[in-house]
Amino acid sequence: MASVPAAMVTTTFELPGYTVTRNLGVVRGIVVRSRNIFATIGASLQTIVGGNITVWTKLCEQTRVDAFDIMIQHATEVGANAVIGARYDTTELAQGVTEVLAYGTAVIVEPVSDSVLSRG
């Protein structure tokens, strides 16, 4: 089974050049992460001098990537070839424990035919 390509995931509700032919419902990817104590100590020291707290930036980015990948897996499992209306949401479950949710609508899209494009 082929995976939904990242290029076929959008925050909009349409994909240029494609028509949604079937809505397969909401798909999601959920990751719950905690910060490790060494990263927290390093980040605390970095806050003293200011600027980007790179250890937490990397953790956040990796968590979003993981949630996105799980969402793609879910979309693939339901037979989608695209995801529209993709979003992220974050909730702090406990101190130092955060849930990241990637979600969107799994759809089947087909390319708009040349005859439709030439009329438009």
Side-chain angles (χ1 to χ4, degrees):
M1 180 182 328
S3 179
V4 174
M8 297 300 282
V9 178
T10 182
T11 58
T12 65
F13 294 100
E14 59 184 41
L15 279 166
Y18 293 87
T19 300
V20 174
T21 61
R22 191 162 171 217
N23 179 329
L24 301 173
V26 174
V27 289
R28 65 198 161 281
I30 301 170
V31 175
V32 177
R33 284 266 156 81
S34 66
R35 299 181 299 228
N36 89 36
I37 189 67
F38 300 110
T40 300
I41 291 169
S44 297
L45 294 173
Q46 208 169 358
T47 61
I48 294 170
V49 296
N52 185 18
I53 303 173
T54 55
V55 67
W56 284 349
T57 300
K58 289 176 186 173
L59 177 65
C60 289
E61 181 57 31
Q62 186 57 54
T63 303
R64 286 183 182 97
V65 166
D66 293 345
F68 182 89
D69 289 347
I70 294 167
M71 178 187 69
I72 293 294
Q73 179 183 359
H74 188 195
T76 300
E77 288 169 0
V78 299
N81 64 357
V83 176
I84 59 174
R87 303 284 187 268
Y88 289 99
D89 193 18
T90 304
T91 304
E92 186 173 15
L93 301 174
Q95 186 173 355
V97 179
T98 304
E99 169 209 32
V100 174
L101 168 66
Y103 64 97
T105 302
V107 294
I108 296 177
V109 296
E110 293 180 4
V112 175
S113 69
D114 290 337
S115 62
V116 172
L117 291 175
S118 63
R119 286 185 284 167

